[in-house]
Amino acid sequence: MAAASTSPEKLNSCVKTDVFLSHDWGEDGTNHKKVEKINEAIKGLGYVTWFDNERMVGNVREQMANGIENTQCFIAFITKRYHEKVVCGTDRDNCRAEFDYASTKVPTVAVLLDPSMENTNDWKGNVGLTLGTKLYIDLSGDINDEKYLTNQLKSLEKDLTSRGIFPNKLEETTNELKVLDIRKKDNPLAKNTVENQETIPDESKDIDEIKRKAYNLRRNGKWAEAIPLYEDIIKKQTFTLGENHVDTLDTRHWLAACYFNQKDYQKATPIFQDVGEKLTSTLGENHQNTLNTRHMLALCYYNQNDYRKALPIFQDVGEKETFALGENPEHTLNTRYWLAHCYYDQNDYRKAIPIFQDVGEKRTFTLGENHVNTLTTRYWLAACYFNQKDYQKATPIFQDVGEKQTSTLGENHQNTLDTRHMLALCYYDQNDYRKALPIFQDAAEKQTFTLGENHEHTLNTRYWLAHCYYDQNDYRKAIPIFQDAAEKRTFTLSEKHVDTLTTRYWLAHCYYNQNDYRKAIPIFQDVAEKQTFTLGENHEHTLNTRYWLAHCYYDQNDYRKAIPIFQDVGEKRTCTLGENHEDTLNTRYWLASCYYEQNDYQEAILILEDVFRRQTSTFGGNHNDTVRSKELLKAMNHSPYKNGL
């Protein structure tokens, strides 16, 4: 469609415009040039625009007021500077004056030009009050890319069309206005219609007031209080505008967001799903509002651990955002970040790593190396390497991220402490207790101060601190920490929680390694009973605890109690791990040893010969377990008591 005429005479003779463009020029005028290009593109669609280059004749304030009063829609081009002018500027600032006046007169639309302002939670004052609850049009990408600009303007056109604002040539618009005026004057039916319309109560102001209340509640985290207000707005909008209108869908989006932030995904999911489908139909599948809603739908599935549903949505939204916005905007990077998390949480580190790596590099470039989003992305990249046991790659990333978080967030911030905890685990898993121990100790002290001594993060760090002492055979230091952590976990998590039982298991091991079987046995026994109840009798944790309980009896020469436990554990491990598994064969070795110590050589040799044969076949003749079995078998065969002598 040809561009509308822009001659001053025709522009000034036209009473009505379709859109009023409000923007900040920028310090060097570059932002004005950008909006000027967008203005030409909007006119190219057939819309009549109010743009300051073409309208500023005579009294500036009067021209602005007339322009706002006689337009169908006010478009605010959001940048950081524009936001500051509207929120913090004086009454003499034109940006503030026109925005404040327009917010009371006409519908407003936000067009994002500055990617640093993409989070509407950062929009303050009247900008936040008027536009913070609405979805915006994103033009923060490269508008010199004609394909990108055309695609995003389609989104704007659909938004305007949903508001009943249709593109027309200037001459056609002027003629229609004249015809409309004639009909109002000369047509009695039309006159009656107008008169009747005046008796209908205007609910728009009422809705705007409720919106402001709901917005303020939502901004302050009062989700439950905001929900009934949003539900009331939706009823009114559905009746007056229809269920597919962009304003109705926008409100339903924020209702779902309230449920989402309350972790009520059962209610949030179907709303996001339905709104996403309707936005796809009305605005298009590539519109930023559509993509934002589908992103939230994917997050609902993610938070319910339904990665099968979340993953393809994140993937599709990420591809569409890359096409529409570019690969570097935060919208695109955030979606790809969560796509990587889907792979991570399914232990598919091979797919997660290149995405986390790419997003981390791009965020370093766009946000800076110290930005919280950059550091969080790199943290999860390191976590991928850690879970692959690639400590050579994980350690330097955790170290660097931890140092930057200490500098930007502070040494007591939870993110900093979490990263340092993972760094310590890297050292621990490499048996470098000298480096791991002071980090665990320092992190635990800071977590005790910031989170409290009973917080699970604090207890988990202290658990690993105790493990450092345990693995260095310093049971004197390990025991009181394991004991305290176990007591606190019993109180906070329950006595049957897996973390509580694991902590008590290692406490019992400390006593066992000190040959204090009197203390070790009742703990192993109690833990095994609770694990049998919570995890099942065949679970490896249960079998491992019972194995060491049997060892306590064995080391006290109480073979009568040890034999049935070793026998049962051996049979269950044969079933769950396989008859050639190292743990299965090890258990059967000690069963044979019990019979040997009881001089029951026939039973002992029968078991041990089978164990030795399997160890030789599976691990080789030089394996420590194979050599040990060979030596015991040799001792049995040479025992003077073998034949009952």
Side-chain angles (χ1 to χ4, degrees), residues 378-389:
R378 294 186 65 223
Y379 169 93
W380 288 108
L381 172 63
C384 288
Y385 290 129
F386 175 86
N387 287 311
Q388 288 185 317
K389 302 187 187 305

Side-chain angles (χ1 to χ4, degrees), residues 577-601:
L577 301 177
E579 57 188 9
N580 291 326
H581 191 278
E582 184 176 5
D583 290 346
T584 305
L585 296 174
N586 195 36
T587 306
R588 295 185 66 223
Y589 167 88
W590 287 105
L591 175 62
S593 293
C594 285
Y595 286 121
Y596 170 76
E597 296 295 344
Q598 286 187 317
N599 301 322
D600 189 346
Y601 300 108

Side-chain angles (χ1 to χ4, degrees), residues 138 148 151-152 155 280 284-288 290-292 294-295 312-327 329 331-333 335-336:
D138 195 339
Y148 168 77
N151 187 66
Q152 294 307 93
S155 301
T280 300
E285 61 180 10
N286 291 325
H287 192 281
Q288 192 57 51
T290 307
L291 297 176
N292 286 345
R294 294 188 66 225
H295 175 96
I313 301 176
F314 280 132
Q315 198 161 27
D316 183 61
V317 170
E319 290 171 0
K320 285 182 168 62
E321 287 176 328
T322 300
F323 173 77
L325 306 175
E327 57 182 16
H331 273 297
T332 307
L333 297 177
T335 302
R336 295 189 66 229

